[in-house]
Amino acid sequence: NAGVTQTPKFQVLKTGQSMTLQCAQDMNHNSMYWYRQDPGMGLRLIYYSASEGTTDKGEVPNGYNVSRLNKREFSLRLESAAPSQTSVYFCASSDWAMLSGGTDTQYFGPGTRLTVL
Amino acid sequence: DAKTTQPPSMDCAEGRAANLPCNHSTISGNEYVYWYRQIHSQGPQYIIHGLKNNETNEMASLIITEDRKSSTLILPHATLRDTAVYYCIGSSGNTPLVFGKGTRLSVIA
C-alpha cells in the first residue's frame, strides 16, 4: 500500500498563476483533509471532506477550492496564487465519519512545498 | 473540543525516557486524547490515543490522569530519531482534529 500520495512534491508559482495539488489514498478511508504549515507553525486545516461528494471549510479556506473527485482522490486548487500562500501543504486521510463521530486516526502524505513569487 | 496546553520545547538524553506532558483541563467525557508527531519536513505521524485508560503500543505509552485533565506521553528509550514536534489533541470526533504548535522534543546524544 502506498498510503497517501501527493503530487507535486515541489512547485514554484508566480503571483496570479493557478495550480491544483493532487492527493490520493489507497486505504478506503471516508475522510480526507488538506492542511497548510507555515515555518515554525502548527498545521492549519484548509478544507476537509468527510465523505465522497461532501466538502467543508476548515480554519483557513480563503483563496482555495477543493474537489472530492471520488473516494480515493481529493484535490486542492489555488485559482490565483499569492505570496501569502507560500507554505507546505499536507493531505491526510482517516476513517473518521463525521455523523457518527468516533476516533480520527489520520495518515498524512509527504507534503507539497509551494513557493509563490 | 478541549483546548490543550503543551510546553513549547523539551530536551531528553538519548536512551532515557522522554515524558511529554499535556494539559487538557476542559476535556469532556467523550473526548479522546490523541498524540501525533512530526519529524522535520515530514508529514505528521499518528502515535497513540486514549479515552480513560492508559494505553501502550509499540511506539509509546499514554498515561491519562484519573480526572482526565492531563496526560503524559512516554517514549521509554528515546533515540535521536525521536527528535520531532509532538502534538497533543483533544477531540470528541464531531469535528476534525485541531493541531496546535506542539512540543519540540530534542533528543541529545
Side-chain angles (χ1 to χ4, degrees), chain A residues 73-114:
Chain A
E73 298 172 289
F74 189 38
S75 62
L76 178 72
R77 183 161 178 84
L78 288 70
E79 290 290 352
S80 179
S84 61
Q85 294 179 304
T86 293
S87 191
V88 181
Y89 290 84
F90 290 103
C91 176
S93 72
S94 77
D95 232 355
W96 179 64
M98 185 168 66
L99 294 179
S100 58
T103 57
D104 187 8
T105 301
Q106 295 187 19
Y107 296 85
F108 283 78
T112 294
R113 281 144 187 82
L114 175 67

Side-chain angles (χ1 to χ4, degrees), chain A residues 29-93:
Chain A
H29 282 162
N30 294 320
S31 296
M32 297 185 72
Y33 314 81
W34 277 105
Y35 294 88
R36 62 176 287 175
Q37 186 171 37
D38 301 324
M41 303 289 289
L43 285 85
R44 291 185 292 171
L45 183 64
I46 304 171
Y47 271 94
Y48 66 99
S49 169
S51 63
E52 187 178 350
T54 69
T55 60
D56 286 284
K57 295 178 181 179
E59 183 185 355
V60 288
N62 291 345
Y64 305 95
N65 288 304
V66 290
S67 295
R68 183 75 182 267
L69 304 169
N70 48 55
K71 194 170 187 180
R72 288 189 65 247
E73 298 172 289
F74 189 38
S75 62
L76 178 72
R77 183 161 178 84
L78 288 70
E79 290 290 352
S80 179
S84 61
Q85 294 179 304
T86 293
S87 191
V88 181
Y89 290 84
F90 290 103
C91 176
S93 72

Side-chain angles (χ1 to χ4, degrees), chain B:
Chain B
D1 291 334
K3 176 178 166 56
T4 60
T5 304
Q6 300 178 252
S9 63
M10 292 181 62
D11 293 337
C12 177
E14 187 178 21
R16 303 295 295 269
N19 297 293
L20 292 93
C22 179
N23 285 324
H24 32 79
S25 58
T26 61
I27 199 168
S28 61
N30 66 341
E31 287 185 74
Y32 287 83
V33 178
Y34 294 82
W35 283 85
Y36 284 75
R37 74 179 183 183
Q38 186 174 23
I39 295 170
H40 180 63
S41 297
Q42 298 180 19
Q45 175 190 26
Y46 165 80
I47 301 173
I48 199 167
H49 72 278
L51 186 62
K52 297 179 183 177
N53 299 323
N54 298 336
E55 302 287 345
T56 295
N57 63 20
E58 65 278 4
M59 291 183 68
S61 295
L62 173 61
I63 308 298
I64 303 174
T65 57
E66 195 169 337
D67 63 8
R68 301 188 70 241
K69 292 186 177 181
S70 66
S71 60
T72 301
L73 180 75
I74 301 173
L75 309 178
H77 305 286
T79 71
L80 298 178
R81 287 175 295 180
D82 292 321
T83 292
V85 177
Y86 288 77
Y87 299 98
C88 170
I89 305 164
S91 176
S92 63
N94 293 321
T95 55
L97 302 181
V98 176
F99 289 77
K101 293 187 178 181
T103 295
R104 182 173 298 278
L105 174 69
S106 297
V107 180
I108 303 166

